[in-house]
Amino acid sequence: MKKQTYIFDLDETLIHSTKGHLYIRPYTHKLLSFFYKNQHLYNIGFWSNGLKDYVQNIITILLKPYKGLVPIIKLARIKNEDGNKIIDLETNKLYDYKNKHLAKDIVRLINHKDFSKRFKNTQPILVDDLIENICANKKEHVYPIMPWRNTNKKDKNLLTLYKSIKNKTKKQNGGGIEINALLATFAISLAAGYIIKNMNGTKKYSQTRIPSTTISTSSNKPTNKPNISNKS
């Protein structure tokens, strides 16, 4: 049976780290628990532009309750004398970013000889909040999500994703979700405007996110304190 693969960004998609504290987005564990119980239908992975040790620490914290849930892929960033590189946290092999940009290109990933076997008979979808990463992928390979910070304690974006996946599973016995066309159109429209601003130098390429309009002033309780000095 063909599995669906969800590859998650970390910062402001699943977590928010600030001042030495790690905050986990509402419904993250509900979603991870679902994947844990349905490993025969789904793979998960992580791809962050945070630095190696930071990313590995976050993944370890997130997956601690789910022994046996092994990500199909774990990618992070490393800086050396040649600049920024992608690092596979399983093999420690290094790879170039496309055109020196930090955008995550799923098609390029699954066509690479080192990764193609991992994605055989699966349809990978990147879950990400960055405009650049959304625009770098075809709509069947990306699920745009609003960025999250710990002040937005009532956020339900991951609950929406969870329900979509669960409902599709019931209907098709393991098929993937269809990306909400309105959300995808909205994200791409925003991207066009933001990329123009980037060209004019008013936005930093690697930090352009879908604007969030539902920020509250209450705080969530932090979980374990990770080393956040290497976040993206």
Side-chain angles (χ1 to χ4, degrees), residues 184-201:
T185 302
F186 170 61
I188 292 170
S189 297
L190 282 172
Y194 272 69
I195 288 172
I196 291 171
K197 289 182 180 180
N198 288 339
M199 293 172 64
N200 292 332

Side-chain angles (χ1 to χ4, degrees), residues 40-51:
H40 60 297
L41 299 176
Y42 299 99
N43 296 314
I44 66 164
F46 300 95
W47 189 354
S48 171
N49 282 332
L51 295 182

Side-chain angles (χ1 to χ4, degrees), residues 60-219:
T60 298
I61 292 171
L62 288 176
L63 296 185
K64 187 176 181 180
Y66 313 104
K67 303 298 182 184
L69 180 58
V70 179
I72 192 173
I73 197 165
K74 296 187 295 183
L75 300 177
R77 177 171 60 93
I78 193 169
K79 293 184 75 171
N80 59 22
E81 62 275 8
D82 297 322
N84 289 302
K85 299 284 186 179
I86 299 169
I87 182 167
D88 182 341
L89 296 182
E90 292 299 321
T91 65
N92 283 324
K93 290 186 69 172
L94 302 182
Y95 304 90
D96 291 327
Y97 281 97
K98 184 178 181 180
N99 300 325
K100 304 296 183 182
H101 290 217
L102 302 185
K104 304 168 187 174
D105 185 339
I106 293 295
V107 170
R108 181 169 177 255
L109 180 69
I110 62 180
N111 287 333
H112 194 286
K113 62 182 179 61
D114 288 355
F115 301 109
S116 58
K117 288 184 179 179
R118 300 191 208 180
F119 294 104
K120 187 177 181 180
N121 298 322
T122 186
Q123 173 77 6
I125 292 177
L126 176 69
V127 182
D128 206 298
D129 68 301
L130 280 177
I131 293 293
E132 292 84 3
N133 296 328
I134 294 165
C135 288
N137 291 281
K138 297 179 180 179
K139 64 180 182 178
E140 61 265 28
H141 288 301
V142 66
Y143 183 93
I145 194 165
M146 292 295 181
W148 178 78
R149 295 188 177 237
N150 65 294
T151 48
N152 186 7
K153 140 183 205 182
K154 297 181 179 180
D155 177 80
K156 293 185 178 180
N157 279 278
L158 289 181
L159 179 62
T160 299
L161 175 58
Y162 163 78
K163 288 180 176 179
S164 297
I165 297 172
K166 188 175 181 181
N167 289 340
K168 198 71 174 179
T169 302
K170 288 180 179 179
K171 291 178 182 178
Q172 296 187 358
N173 190 29
I177 65 166
E178 293 181 5
I179 295 176
N180 184 299
L182 184 60
L183 178 58
T185 302
F186 170 61
I188 292 170
S189 297
L190 282 172
Y194 272 69
I195 288 172
I196 291 171
K197 289 182 180 180
N198 288 339
M199 293 172 64
N200 292 332
T202 59
K203 287 284 182 180
K204 187 177 179 182
Y205 182 85
S206 62
Q207 296 296 323
T208 312
R209 301 182 186 274
I210 302 174
S212 176
T213 57
T214 56
I215 302 297
S216 68
T217 56
S218 58
S219 295

Side-chain angles (χ1 to χ4, degrees), residues 25-65:
R25 190 172 194 159
Y27 302 103
T28 293
H29 281 298
K30 189 175 188 70
L31 192 57
L32 291 176
S33 178
F34 175 81
F35 289 130
Y36 175 70
K37 295 173 183 176
N38 291 277
Q39 295 181 62
H40 60 297
L41 299 176
Y42 299 99
N43 296 314
I44 66 164
F46 300 95
W47 189 354
S48 171
N49 282 332
L51 295 182
K52 175 184 175 181
D53 291 343
Y54 169 79
V55 171
Q56 184 60 70
N57 195 10
I58 298 299
I59 294 173
T60 298
I61 292 171
L62 288 176
L63 296 185
K64 187 176 181 180

Side-chain angles (χ1 to χ4, degrees), residues 2-20:
K2 188 174 182 179
K3 286 187 176 183
Q4 187 78 59
T5 298
Y6 288 90
I7 302 175
F8 290 92
D9 172 53
L10 292 177
D11 286 294
E12 301 192 22
T13 295
L14 294 182
I15 61 100
H16 177 219
S17 57
T18 180
K19 298 180 180 179

